[in-house]
Amino acid sequence: MGGGAHVRNNSENRYRFDVDEARNFLELLWFYVSHETLYYEVFCLNDSGGKIVKFFKGPNAPREATEWLEKNWRRLVKGRYHVSYGVLPRKQKPEKGRGKASDVDRGQWLWADLDYKKDYDRIEDIPIPEEAKRVALERGYWYEELEDHALKGVYRSGNKWIYVERPLLSKVVEEVRSKLGMEPTLVVDSGAGYHLYFKLIYDIDASKLRRLEESVVDILGADR
């Protein structure tokens, strides 16, 4: 039912939140023509198990969700929350938590989460420069942004080191086109990879959408 966008570190403006970009994205993702009231989700989770679930309804949902995020951004950053958004609308507001699959009866998007990361027990074994390892040991992370959205980096997660080697976006899009016969409508930088979104020409019911979504995930080898 959902996708995610993590709070990212920016060397010039730490943990930046772009209000206009977020609103424009949600306006596209959450646009449905409906005589019924639809509900849209923002879900926040941190490594300590803290959860925040918010639902916004109707055509004003993108604006209201963005305003809520802007108002609470410092709290979310301080609490080290990962901020995610529900891709598909709910036909009713769940009575508890995030709800269940039966709360979704239709949708117009397919998506895939592509990750390019590997776990290491020792930072010494990771193929990055020695200076990068020193920085990572001091800060808990290191990354280098390359051309065409490619990235190399490492960060600590518990007692593991996570190495990220994200390929060129153009290469990923070319591979997707060769496997699916189409390109993604939207691409989101997820840090360790890319989130790909494919907009359908019209809404379809949830059972058909689920079958298509499972096929896309299988074909692309995406995170299930």
Side-chain angles (χ1 to χ4, degrees), residues 32 34 36-40 56-58 89-91 105-106:
Y32 285 83
S34 175
E36 302 172 344
T37 300
L38 299 177
Y39 294 84
Y40 306 88
F56 305 88
K57 66 179 182 179
R90 314 303 205 267
K91 62 183 178 181
D105 67 349
R106 61 180 170 129

Side-chain angles (χ1 to χ4, degrees), residues 92-134:
Q92 59 195 12
K93 184 179 179 179
E95 295 181 1
K96 183 179 179 181
R98 303 183 67 192
K100 47 189 182 295
S102 60
D103 293 325
V104 176
D105 67 349
R106 61 180 170 129
Q108 62 182 5
W109 290 91
L110 303 171
W111 69 97
D113 180 1
L114 302 180
D115 278 333
Y116 303 92
K117 58 188 181 182
K118 182 180 179 180
D119 296 358
Y120 283 83
D121 292 320
R122 298 171 358 112
I123 194 171
E124 292 81 6
D125 299 329
I126 300 176
I128 57 175
E130 292 302 316
E131 176 63 17
K133 294 176 183 178
R134 184 187 66 78

